[in-house]
Amino acid sequence: MTDPTPQPTATRPRRRLVVASLVGLFALLALTAAAFDRLGRLSAPQRARSEMRVARSRCGELTEAIRAWESHRGQEIPPDRILDAMIEEKRLDPRKLADPWGNRYVVTRRPDGFPTVHSRGPDGRDGTADDLRTGR
């Protein structure tokens, strides 16, 4: 005679884990979709301010990354080669090379050798009022 009550198996806890993981994944997807929906509803001035903040922040991040990388290497690289060299050495994500308007960030050096990173801004032209610069 067989026992009609189901015996607990090792698959039940695993199923719960899978279900909980799927619920968490769907919640994350819903939050991501809501964030993108909110971004889509930004007014033009709000979007422009947001893009400027992102570009300014990324200029600062890139400047600090360059300083740390050069300090680690112990030598300076010509400004026009820095970003490519960092990518080759897997020290920089290639997706971080473009500003919010799709233009590549520009690296220059001050007379004291300090690297500076700037964005050409929304118009994509160098030397105009909307350029964003960093570097102390």
Side-chain angles (χ1 to χ4, degrees), residues 5-130:
T5 58
Q7 296 297 318
T9 63
T11 60
R12 283 196 179 155
R14 207 173 302 144
R15 284 184 192 156
R16 287 186 190 127
L17 179 62
V18 169
V19 169
S21 297
L22 288 174
V23 168
L25 177 65
F26 287 128
L28 182 62
L29 288 173
L31 289 171
T32 303
F36 278 109
D37 181 52
R38 183 163 188 264
L39 283 175
R41 288 186 275 145
L42 290 177
S43 69
Q46 288 172 323
R47 180 172 287 127
R49 283 191 301 275
S50 176
E51 290 168 339
M52 295 292 254
R53 277 193 303 271
V54 168
R56 190 173 290 115
S57 174
R58 190 149 311 145
C59 283
E61 290 169 10
L62 287 171
T63 298
E64 292 304 315
I66 290 168
R67 288 184 63 207
W69 179 70
E70 285 186 336
S71 172
H72 172 75
R73 292 186 94 232
Q75 68 182 29
E76 291 182 1
I77 301 284
D80 59 335
R81 286 277 306 131
I82 290 175
L83 297 177
D84 292 326
M86 289 178 72
I87 289 171
E88 289 170 13
E89 292 185 14
K90 309 262 189 268
R91 302 281 288 188
L92 180 64
D93 183 351
R95 295 174 292 187
K96 292 189 174 188
L97 292 182
D99 65 18
W101 306 280
N103 304 309
R104 186 177 170 117
Y105 287 99
V106 179
V107 180
T108 56
R109 287 198 187 278
R110 295 189 325 203
D112 63 0
F114 189 87
T116 62
V117 178
H118 76 271
S119 165
R120 293 181 177 113
D123 69 1
R125 294 182 302 158
D126 220 358
T128 58
D130 66 353

